[in-house]
Amino acid sequence: MKHPLQKWKTFSLCLLLTAAPLSVSAQNLDDVLSGFDSEPAEQQKQAIDEVDDVLSGFDESAPDETEKSVPDNELIPHWLELGGGVTLASSVNFAHEAPEEGAADFRGLSMLRTSLNLDSKISLGNWQLKIDGHGFYDASYALQDRDQYSAALLDDYEQELELDNLYLRGSLSANLDVKIGRQVVVWGKSDNIRVTDVLNPLDNRIPGMVDIKNRRLPVAMTKLDYYIGDWNVSTMMLHEPRFDKNPVYNSDFFPGQGPLPPEKSPTVSFDNQQYALALNGIFSGWDLSLYSASIFDARAHIEKDINGSLSRQHNRFFMAGLTSNIALGNWLLKGEAAWFDKLEYSNLPDQDFSRFDLMGGIEYTGFSETLLSLEIVNRHLFDFDTRLQESPDLAQEDVLQTMATLVRDFANDTIQLKVILSIFGGHGEDGMFERVQLDYDLSDSMMVSGGAVFYQSADQGPLSEIGDNDRLFLELSYEF
């Protein structure tokens, strides 16, 4: 409790600050207030002590009240951080025509998903344990008569509960760090196209709706990082063979007329361990990274066993690549190159193939609050055989992909406009999509997003049945 003299000084200060011009300096303010401190120091101290003695009993709380009162910052231990978020996402398809009899109807409401994600960080001295996971339920299938959808579609799209990141990281020495558990490791410089970024699978179930940074799936691995000067050496052993989540049969993005053969994924075993190595250097105005990996191909091929049964298999391939960024004022130049060996295809099961991917990109930030970027990649398959063009491979000797992005911030970075154009092939013959999105920060913890995605079908291949999937979307998220 404040004594009378302190209250009077505080009240006087408030009156003076209210009446004083905003431009008054700190020195002038001290001069104005100097009269309030004119009482000799000894007399002032004696008066304060006398008042404190009289009022001392009023500041004492009852013992039981003191024991029950817990400061807010002590409700959660200092070594524990908790957080998460709730999201309500919806989308409406507006370009579908009436389906054939017996086929699923994807007109109208296509998503009404409530998601919850929880994450925690536990500090253990120089070590940190991170655990996070998510779950969702999509009510659109119940509202649209779920009986018309296949069991595989409902299993993958209606609800989900997963443990995502689960890792322990810390320092073994001044220059050596270790990270063990399910995690995401990003390779390469591209923000939208994968060339050397091969370690984590992607969630491809609804193409074009989400940026690649939010689609990577964690994989269990052990990662060692050694730092020396401008360089960092990373060695990784991937313990968990995990692959992309792709559209399933009977979904609106599945290209075929029937279900695929069953998938036979490699088991978690000593023989199926995967290995990766990275060398990263960061210098003034540029950087350089070298990569190599022996991992399982996320792209499955179909094999026939001795009994004539078909199954989808993932073979092991080798990748070697390099990437670099060069900053030149408002310009950022980026490049990636990767060599893939031991690739297998369904139509030529006894033959291995090699592929070379080359990506070039440029970003410009010279306009106020604006980012412009363009990325182009060509993937060349060596020793190409025309039989690879047939189903189910539908492969091409050269595959060209272009991504153009515009990001603009408004209203003190509370509103962001994003426009993305993705073109497969020279002029979209292999499919394309455009996304226009507007994000608005309602507060520090709440955001609303909305926009539209437009699709154009490919002549053949995985994007050959997407042209009617144009949709509007709206999402409200709250972080805590």
Side-chain angles (χ1 to χ4, degrees):
M1 179 179 295
K2 293 184 178 180
H3 54 76
L5 182 58
Q6 289 175 315
K7 286 185 175 182
W8 169 246
K9 291 178 65 178
T10 302
F11 177 71
S12 302
L13 178 60
C14 292
L15 286 177
L16 191 59
L17 289 177
T18 303
L22 295 177
S23 59
V24 66
S25 66
Q27 182 177 357
N28 293 335
L29 185 59
D30 288 339
D31 294 339
V32 173
L33 297 178
S34 60
F36 292 100
D37 292 326
S38 59
E39 185 179 0
E42 283 297 325
Q43 296 179 12
Q44 182 178 358
K45 181 177 183 302
Q46 182 177 358
I48 294 174
D49 290 342
E50 291 176 357
V51 175
D52 286 343
D53 290 340
V54 174
L55 300 179
S56 60
F58 292 96
D59 288 332
E60 296 179 0
S61 301
D64 56 340
E65 293 179 357
T66 304
E67 292 175 1
K68 294 179 181 179
S69 177
V70 181
D72 291 341
N73 59 358
E74 293 184 6
L75 292 177
I76 299 177
H78 69 278
W79 46 264
L80 176 62
E81 295 182 26
L82 298 176
V86 179
T87 301
L88 177 62
S90 62
S91 63
V92 176
N93 294 2
F94 60 86
H96 276 281
E97 297 180 356
E100 298 179 0
E101 186 177 353
D105 189 353
F106 293 105
R107 293 176 297 173
L109 183 67
S110 57
M111 179 187 293
L112 188 60
R113 178 183 294 180
T114 302
S115 305
L116 172 66
N117 67 281
L118 299 173
D119 64 81
S120 63
K121 294 180 182 178
I122 301 174
S123 297
L124 306 170
N126 294 328
W127 293 78
Q128 184 182 82
L129 177 65
K130 180 175 176 61
I131 306 173
D132 65 59
H134 77 275
F136 70 71
Y137 173 73
D138 193 335
S140 65
Y141 297 99
L143 296 175
Q144 296 284 74
D145 183 11
R146 65 192 307 273
D147 292 338
Q148 65 179 312
Y149 304 110
S150 68
L153 185 147
L154 294 174
D155 287 344
D156 270 22
Y157 289 78
E158 187 177 32
Q159 56 187 336
E160 183 173 83
L161 182 63
E162 280 201 5
L163 178 66
D164 297 319
N165 291 289
L166 172 59
Y167 61 76
L168 177 68
R169 68 178 180 185
S171 298
L172 299 178
S173 68
N175 297 329
L176 183 61
D177 294 341
V178 63
K179 192 174 180 181
I180 305 172
R182 258 197 172 186
Q183 56 191 283
V184 172
V185 176
V186 180
W187 278 2
K189 312 303 180 184
S190 172
D191 295 322
N192 300 296
I193 297 176
R194 304 190 94 189
V195 176
T196 58
D197 184 30
V198 297
L199 299 184
N200 291 91
L202 296 179
D203 186 343
N204 300 318
R205 288 175 291 185
I206 308 179
M209 285 279 289
V210 183
D211 293 339
I212 192 173
K213 65 181 180 181
N214 298 318
R215 292 163 46 208
R216 293 186 179 94
L217 305 174
V219 171
M221 66 178 81
T222 298
K223 181 173 180 280
L224 292 172
D225 286 289
Y226 182 75
Y227 301 89
I228 177 170
D230 296 327
W231 294 92
N232 153 239
V233 180
S234 295
T235 61
M236 284 144 280
M237 178 181 289
L238 286 72
H239 314 299
E240 177 187 16
R242 194 179 186 193
F243 306 108
D244 296 344
K245 293 183 178 181
N246 292 317
V248 300
Y249 170 64
N250 194 228
S251 73
D252 49 353
F253 285 98
F254 185 79
Q257 300 301 318
L260 295 173
E263 182 179 26
K264 290 187 177 180
S265 298
T267 59
V268 178
S269 65
F270 181 79
D271 292 336
N272 289 333
Q273 298 299 296
Q274 306 165 81
Y275 308 95
L277 177 67
L279 177 64
N280 306 291
I282 300 177
F283 314 99
S284 178
W286 68 288
D287 58 47
L288 176 68
S289 297
L290 305 174
Y291 305 114
S292 65
S294 175
I295 60 176
F296 288 103
D297 194 348
R299 178 192 56 83
H301 64 279
I302 298 176
E303 291 187 2
K304 181 184 297 186
D305 62 20
I306 56 176
N307 298 321
S309 299
L310 300 178
S311 63
R312 288 179 290 150
Q313 306 277 354
H314 297 269
N315 69 287
R316 186 187 292 267
F317 71 87
F318 173 78
M319 188 277 285
L322 63 89
T323 67
S324 181
N325 277 337
I326 302 175
L328 300 172
N330 293 323
W331 299 89
L332 178 65
L333 308 180
K334 57 180 69 176
E336 296 191 36
W339 173 268
F340 298 85
D341 197 21
K342 303 296 182 182
L343 300 175
E344 296 185 14
Y345 290 85
S346 306
N347 295 335
L348 296 173
D350 299 325
Q351 186 175 346
D352 295 336
F353 291 86
S354 299
R355 195 183 77 220
F356 180 69
D357 294 1
L358 181 63
M359 190 281 294
I362 187 170
E363 290 184 4
Y364 181 68
T365 55
F367 301 117
S368 176
E369 304 292 337
T370 303
L371 169 67
L372 298 172
S373 72
L374 178 68
E375 297 176 349
I376 303 174
V377 64
N378 186 72
R379 310 179 195 273
H380 179 76
L381 190 61
F382 291 91
D383 299 321
F384 187 77
D385 191 306
T386 55
R387 286 174 288 180
L388 298 178
Q389 296 176 337
E390 302 172 3
S391 180
D393 291 322
L394 302 176
Q396 301 179 51
E397 186 173 8
D398 288 280
V399 175
L400 184 67
Q401 182 183 359
T402 303
M403 292 284 292
T405 304
L406 163 67
V407 180
R408 177 69 187 271
D409 293 323
F410 303 91
N412 296 321
D413 296 338
T414 60
I415 299 177
Q416 184 179 84
L417 170 68
K418 181 179 293 184
V419 181
I420 295 178
L421 170 64
S422 179
I423 303 174
F424 297 87
H427 49 83
E429 69 274 13
D430 296 326
M432 59 189 296
F433 70 83
E434 306 84 41
R435 184 170 93 237
V436 180
Q437 179 175 338
L438 196 66
D439 300 332
Y440 177 43
D441 293 330
L442 299 173
S443 65
D444 291 339
S445 58
M446 185 173 293
M447 183 178 73
V448 60
S449 300
V453 188
F454 305 94
Y455 300 92
Q456 290 79 46
S457 294
D459 296 338
Q460 63 174 5
L463 302 182
S464 60
E465 302 290 337
I466 67 171
D468 295 334
N469 292 332
D470 300 346
R471 61 193 62 201
L472 302 173
F473 64 90
L474 182 66
E475 180 176 298
L476 178 65
S477 59
Y478 174 76
E479 295 182 354
F480 52 85

